[in-house]
Amino acid sequence: MFTIGDFARHGRVSVRMLRHYDALGLLRPAHVDPVNGYRFYEAAQLARLNRVLALKDLGFTLQQVQEILDETVGPEQLRGMLRLRQAELEAAMAAAAARLIRVETRLRSIESEGHMSPDEVVIKRTPPVRVAELSATADSFAPEAIGPVVGPLFDELCRRLDRASVTPAGPSIAYYEAAPGSGEAVLVHAAIPVTATPGGPHGLTVVDLPAIENAATIVHRGSMDAVLPTAQTLAHWIDANGYRSAGYARELYLACDDDPDQWVTELQEPFTRR
């Protein structure tokens, strides 16, 4: 047998924690000296301690841990609890990863302040284009609100084009507008150029996207999660040259393969004179 101190050392936990688990009935000592009250543990009890700590790290309460280990929770219920917790942890990890990307993007914007190159911006007229599109509303124009909306829209649009045997006629376009009467909400449009006729038997929403007569354009290379420095370079250029933004920038996806770090996207922001 081991003293409580030795057992804590072998289990890589504190003596205080073992006393707490004893008080809860979660991990009782194998023997308690009736004279001095000293607790003693067996090496076999390390297995239960390991399970307690693993379940605790998964986010279960100590009450839930005790029910699981004492088998008051059936196998199917336990499997459901574990799957739910797995999904929660995966969602938390994804959210943390997205938050890190946003922080890195903001840092890049800060680092690039004062280093804007006017040669990066080109003024042009974008031609009108016929597109098949799907639309949905995002809560705001923040990356964490736009990303989960625009990606699934393009996925679904591609599936519908394939089912309708309609071949894309150019690179994909995302464009945005304020959602009517919805505060900061943004109407997100995922569009792909087509030669199909509006209202045809294909069952697609086909519209004619108008030209932008005066567009300040800049090319962004890499994932759209990191577009902020490029977009803000465009904003600085518009302001420095005495122009005024006339709406959300369109995103023309010139190269968009499986690796987002290799994407090439042209931002096209309409502008007017002040």
Side-chain angles (χ1 to χ4, degrees), residues 138-152 176 186-188 251:
D139 291 337
S140 72
F141 200 55
E144 60 268 29
I146 295 294
V149 174
V150 70
Y176 310 91
V186 175
L187 194 57
V188 180
E251 298 164 2

Side-chain angles (χ1 to χ4, degrees), residues 245-263:
S245 174
Y248 292 95
R250 289 181 189 173
E251 298 164 2
L252 179 66
Y253 301 110
L254 300 172
C256 190
D257 57 19
D258 292 337
D259 183 2
D261 291 335
Q262 302 303 315
W263 288 2

Side-chain angles (χ1 to χ4, degrees), residues 6 25 46 55 99-100 104 110 122-123 132 134 170 174 188 201 213 231 244 246 254-255 266 269 272-274:
D6 288 340
L46 289 170
L55 291 167
R99 190 175 300 113
L100 286 173
E104 182 180 357
I110 293 169
V122 176
I123 297 176
L134 289 176
V188 180
E213 296 300 329
R244 180 173 61 85
L254 300 172
E266 183 178 80
E269 184 159 348
T272 60
R273 287 282 181 183
R274 287 179 182 168

